[in-house]
Amino acid sequence: GNSVTQMEGPVTLSEEAFLTINCTYTATGYPSLFWYVQYPGEGLQLLLKATKADDKGSNKGFEATYRKETTSFHLEKGSVQVSDSAVYFCALSDQRGGADGLTFGKGTHLIIQP
Amino acid sequence: DGGITQSPKYLFRKEGQNVTLSCEQNLNHDAMYWYRQDPGQGLRLIYYSQIVNDFQKGDIAEGYSVSREKKESFPLTVTSAQKNPTAFYLCASSPAGIVETQYFGPGTRLLVL
């Protein structure tokens, strides 16, 4: 079956530091890949996505590149802010377009200190 | 404004009691989903529905039931058979077959008394 593995948290950084959150996946075929963000007490918001190999998703300064050769989709940001503190989820949908729902990683709690 | 609403925000359940969580969307989406979130476990799919009057079990359906009588509504019942119901429950929707535009509600936190 499909699975997503992401780095354990919490990840604590100082403001303006460089961020990397690792994500690797196992899936058959060619899944689409996503990063979602969850702020305290809220639902999930789509941060970015990539639907085929070598695609780069980007939004709000965050980027992630779909690497089929390493089955990875690492999230990066060049300079984090306190407002980026949240839980980040890597997810995939299967080659049927995710009709059966998404497969999520366990989430990485990011804490940015001023 | 279009979106997904979940109610209540907090819900308390007594032993042996069934409780129902509400999920309503006005996005005209065909597909709706229920996920359960536990600390350190990520999100796990409980049930999903691609069309009115039809739904399928997800990975952890035992102890839960759903109905889809209207396109905009997908209520989840946590039955007494669910022995560990304490969790954060998230409802989501998407246009049929286009899950990358999946929208999430704000969630309901269920606690056992």
Side-chain angles (χ1 to χ4, degrees):
Chain A
N2 298 336
S3 67
V4 175
T5 302
Q6 57 183 109
M7 60 192 296
E8 298 283 333
V11 173
T12 303
L13 296 172
S14 297
E15 205 166 19
E16 300 183 2
F18 184 86
L19 168 71
T20 299
I21 300 178
N22 291 336
C23 170
T24 57
Y25 68 89
T26 302
T28 56
Y30 303 93
S32 295
L33 302 173
F34 311 89
W35 277 101
Y36 280 84
V37 58
Q38 184 181 34
Y39 298 101
E42 298 183 6
L44 275 66
Q45 302 173 27
L46 178 65
L47 181 59
L48 53 84
K49 67 179 183 182
T51 57
K52 61 182 187 295
D54 300 325
D55 267 3
K56 177 185 284 187
S58 62
N59 186 26
K60 299 180 181 179
F62 291 90
E63 293 184 340
T65 301
Y66 189 146
R67 301 287 188 197
K68 187 164 178 62
E69 64 275 14
T70 55
T71 62
S72 65
F73 192 54
H74 304 323
L75 182 69
E76 297 181 335
K77 187 175 185 182
S79 176
V80 293
Q81 305 300 314
V82 172
S83 58
D84 294 327
S85 298
V87 180
Y88 291 81
F89 292 92
C90 186
L92 67 82
S93 69
D94 65 21
Q95 58 189 347
R96 298 197 303 119
D100 302 341
L102 296 169
T103 299
F104 286 87
K106 293 185 177 182
T108 301
H109 187 192
L110 176 64
I111 300 169
I112 307 301
Q113 297 177 333
Chain B
D1 289 339
I4 300 177
T5 57
Q6 291 186 243
S7 62
K9 189 173 179 65
Y10 296 94
L11 185 58
F12 298 91
R13 193 190 91 164
K14 297 179 181 179
E15 291 288 337
Q17 184 181 41
N18 293 353
V19 292
T20 298
L21 285 63
S22 170
C23 177
E24 304 277 335
Q25 55 99 358
N26 61 2
L27 301 167
N28 200 33
H29 287 169
D30 291 302
M32 297 187 73
Y33 307 82
W34 273 106
Y35 293 91
R36 170 178 170 143
Q37 184 179 15
D38 295 282
Q41 294 294 318
L43 277 70
R44 292 179 289 171
L45 184 65
I46 305 172
Y47 268 98
Y48 62 100
S49 168
Q50 294 295 316
I51 196 170
V52 173
N53 292 322
D54 189 41
F55 47 83
Q56 285 77 42
K57 293 181 179 180
D59 299 322
I60 56 165
E62 185 174 353
Y64 301 96
S65 66
V66 293
S67 63
R68 188 83 187 278
E69 297 177 0
K70 298 185 296 182
K71 185 176 185 178
E72 59 270 22
S73 178
F74 191 42
L76 173 74
T77 296
V78 183
T79 75
S80 57
Q82 173 49 247
K83 298 306 180 187
N84 185 24
T86 297
F88 192 49
Y89 291 86
L90 288 161
C91 179
S93 71
S94 70
I98 312 176
V99 77
E100 45 261 48
T101 52
Q102 191 164 128
Y103 294 87
F104 281 81
T108 292
R109 187 165 297 280
L110 177 61
L111 301 166
V112 177
L113 295 176

